[in-house]
Amino acid sequence: MHTKTFPNTIAELAAGLRAGEFTSVELTQHYLDRIQQLDSQYNSFITVTPELALQQAAAADTRLAAGDAPLLCGIPIAHKDLFCTAGIKTSCGSKMLDNFVPPYSATIVENYQRDGAVMLGKLNMDEFAMGSSNENSFYGPAKNPWDTERVPGGSSGGSAAAVAAQLAVATTASDTGGSIRQPASLCGLTGIKPTYGRASRYGMVAFASSLDQAGVITRSAEDAAIMLNTLASYDPKDSTSIDREVPDYTTDLGDDLNGLKIGVPKEYFEAGLDADTEKAVRNALAEYEKLGAELVEITLPHTHLAVPAYYVIAPAEASANLSRFDGVRYGYRCEDPQDLMDLYTRSRAEGFGQEVKQRIMVGAYALSAGYYDAYYKKAQQVRRLIKKDFVDAFEKVDVIMGPTCPNPAFKLGEKTADPVAMYLEDIYTISTNLAGLPGMSIPAGFSSGLPVGLQITGNYFDEAHMLNIAHRFQQVTDWHKQMPAEVQS
Ligand code: GLN
């Protein structure tokens, strides 16, 4: 291991690079060494790209020396393996794409390149982003650095484990029903999923297109703001991307919270919530009162319908999106197909894992003639009601807070036999995606020695305000600075 010690936030590293305390090449080599020596314990990377990383770091050093480089210049990050990277395998955690080397990069990958961030590699995830534990990955589960017998959450398990284990300074991730906030919560990190349409989905492998949104996992709200400045953009190549000015998310971080109205939904504190998780969240809310905020009890009456509606809508969209994997155009192809039908069916049967196949079947069923009205249409009507719950709530309050997850990180294998228990992991996060709202999780304490996350849900395009609210909390608490004992270097 390198003898030099480095700070671990973007904000501190950017200052150190500018003060000449270290170079990006040194910093990048430090992270590459850590990945090589430690990632066998965490399995957070699917692909590591050392040569490219060092080339990018050298270019960043030149740019830093010239002055006027963006804040992210020279900072080692990594991307979830569902963002296409030109010339570098993009597997989406699936055997189906184990041989897929995209000819182009996702817009968000290009944005980070433009701003000089160094890419260390591609991160582990549940296959096609379907899961809450990273156990559905073709590459084996990523492990939680707080306890390697436990899951890091999913589907962005690699994105969270890598930051928690200090194998990347920050990571990109995606959130369809909770896949940024839940792993951030389980690994003691800050994660934000912006408003649907705020970040480009071009070059991000699609799971459920009306819900998928790119975001980031970091050590602090300040770092999340810096990462979001680069992630967020209008992209004419994505028809759902919104043409709206991107603010500087770091500008309002220090604003005071006097008079802030925090909605606390009563449905988020009912049966099923772990007692110590509730205690940590209530303490965090009390901390916000000390910062000048007012707590207002609210109701989101259709919360109990979010998981059932999601598990019709998301599989329906997935069944359509995943029809492109046919063994013909790209991805896995079975050996010796007898005819075209055999090529299709065996390529899909052999290339997709169990959970993905289950969801394709559920989705195709929900969309089929005769069942469409009963399932898909009904789920969309419920979605509308869920959205309305939030619209009504935001007439009374500025943000909504509660637990991110009902419990801290669970053991590997604990929920694999019970899909419903696994699906309930996202009970507090899924409504946000159904409504298209921005959501965030920040560290707020511990339960049985494992991190607990506080969820912050904001109004549409209110990310700057949410980051300000998170940052103020992090100025007066140090939950986000806690690190697993094994990881401290
Ligand atoms: N855990 C949820 C699922 O399995 C959400 C996944 C996600 O946000 N990508 O679908």
Side-chain angles (χ1 to χ4, degrees):
M1 195 88 11
H2 264 239
T3 44
K4 210 161 186 169
T5 58
F6 296 91
N8 58 25
T9 63
I10 300 173
E12 293 165 300
L13 288 167
L17 285 167
R18 278 158 188 77
E21 286 163 24
F22 43 82
T23 63
S24 175
V25 168
E26 285 175 307
L27 179 64
T28 301
Q29 190 62 57
H30 169 74
Y31 274 92
L32 290 169
D33 290 348
R34 284 186 64 86
I35 294 168
Q36 201 192 4
Q37 289 166 35
L38 301 171
D39 201 38
S40 54
Q41 292 171 53
Y42 308 116
N43 197 27
S44 63
F45 279 81
I46 291 174
T47 304
V48 185
T49 50
E51 295 84 21
L52 176 70
L54 289 168
Q55 268 169 30
Q56 290 181 339
D61 282 330
T62 309
R63 216 168 144 186
L64 282 157
D68 206 27
L71 263 186
L72 274 177
C73 187
I75 305 290
I77 66 164
H79 295 300
K80 184 172 179 177
D81 209 16
L82 53 39
F83 294 109
C84 284
T85 38
I88 296 158
K89 176 168 112 174
T90 299
S91 72
C92 216
S94 181
K95 178 179 175 188
M96 184 58 92
L97 289 176
D98 184 46
N99 62 3
F100 176 56
V101 177
Y104 68 103
S105 288
T107 297
I108 70 129
V109 169
E110 286 184 344
N111 288 356
Y112 285 106
Q113 253 163 23
R114 176 201 65 210
D115 287 352
V118 171
M119 184 182 85
L120 297 166
K122 307 292 296 291
L123 299 159
N124 204 351
M125 56 181 286
D126 283 300
E127 184 177 8
F128 286 100
M130 298 178 192
S132 300
S133 66
N134 213 126
E135 291 167 291
N136 297 334
S137 169
F138 174 61
Y139 303 91
K143 315 275 174 64
N144 191 320
W146 289 88
D147 175 352
T148 49
E149 287 181 7
R150 291 176 188 271
V151 305
S155 64
S156 312
S159 300
V163 178
Q166 287 195 57
L167 306 182
V169 182
T171 54
T172 58
S174 68
D175 193 310
T176 302
S179 281
I180 290 176
R181 290 159 287 157
Q182 186 252 15
S185 172
L186 269 43
C187 290
L189 300 167
T190 298
I192 183 163
K193 167 207 110 65
T195 308
Y196 182 77
R198 178 71 292 185
S200 168
R201 295 187 303 113
Y202 179 76
M204 174 168 118
V205 180
F207 161 15
S209 308
S210 76
L211 301 159
D212 297 343
Q213 185 59 208
V216 297
I217 296 182
T218 58
R219 288 206 163 274
S220 68
E222 185 180 17
D223 280 6
I226 297 169
M227 285 289 282
L228 209 57
N229 275 349
T230 297
L231 182 94
S233 66
Y234 165 60
D235 182 4
K237 287 189 266 185
D238 171 5
S239 60
T240 61
S241 150
I242 289 174
D243 189 1
R244 184 181 166 120
E245 200 187 330
V246 180
D248 178 348
Y249 293 107
T250 61
T251 315
D252 302 334
L253 286 176
D255 289 3
D256 77 59
L257 304 184
N258 288 331
L260 177 78
K261 284 207 169 81
I262 300 175
V264 183
K266 67 177 172 46
E267 292 81 4
Y268 285 27
F269 292 87
E270 287 172 356
L273 177 61
D274 161 66
D276 286 343
T277 299
E278 171 163 3
K279 211 181 285 169
V281 169
R282 298 255 186 225
N283 286 341
L285 292 172
E287 198 65 55
Y288 271 107
E289 281 186 298
K290 284 195 228 151
L291 286 168
E294 181 196 335
L295 305 183
V296 182
E297 193 188 76
I298 58 163
T299 171
L300 299 171
H302 298 96
T303 298
H304 64 291
L305 297 177
V307 172
Y310 173 89
Y311 278 100
V312 172
I313 294 167
E317 294 183 14
S319 74
N321 275 326
L322 272 57
S323 66
R324 72 190 64 169
F325 302 106
D326 55 6
V328 177
R329 284 170 282 195
Y330 45 77
Y332 178 79
R333 177 179 297 176
C334 67
E335 300 274 331
D336 300 324
Q338 302 306 303
D339 54 28
L340 186 61
M341 208 33 120
D342 186 43
L343 168 72
Y344 287 157
T345 51
R346 265 199 307 123
S347 297
R348 288 169 69 81
E350 293 166 19
F352 289 135
Q354 172 75 17
E355 179 69 22
V356 172
K357 283 190 229 179
Q358 223 158 273
R359 296 204 193 186
I360 291 173
M361 284 194 277
V362 168
Y365 177 80
L367 289 177
S368 57
Y371 294 102
Y372 182 94
D373 284 0
Y375 295 105
Y376 189 71
K377 192 169 154 207
K378 182 64 81 189
Q380 291 290 17
Q381 288 166 336
V382 169
R383 179 178 193 171
R384 188 86 196 162
L385 294 174
I386 289 170
K387 181 179 168 180
K388 187 170 178 302
D389 284 354
F390 283 105
V391 170
D392 292 346
F394 282 122
E395 282 183 4
K396 296 184 215 101
V397 298
D398 303 307
V399 281
I400 295 171
M401 289 190 191
T404 307
C405 304
N407 45 256
F410 47 95
K411 289 240 162 87
L412 286 151
E414 194 179 317
K415 298 195 183 188
T416 36
D418 184 352
V420 174
M422 191 71 95
Y423 294 171
L424 287 172
E425 259 307 286
D426 298 320
I427 189 156
Y428 306 131
T429 51
I430 274 177
S431 320
T432 315
N433 302 71
L434 289 169
L437 290 163
M440 190 169 184
S441 180
I442 58 171
F446 289 88
S447 170
S448 316
L450 297 163
V452 167
L454 172 77
Q455 181 169 228
I456 307 174
T457 307
N459 211 336
Y460 297 102
F461 297 98
D462 212 16
E463 291 83 1
H465 194 200
M466 293 161 70
L467 288 158
N468 156 230
I469 291 164
H471 179 68
R472 291 290 291 125
F473 182 77
Q474 294 183 342
Q475 283 181 316
V476 295
T477 58
D478 66 357
W479 304 117
H480 65 296
K481 293 193 178 145
Q482 308 295 318
M483 264 192 278
E486 279 179 49
V487 169
Q488 285 164 26
S489 54

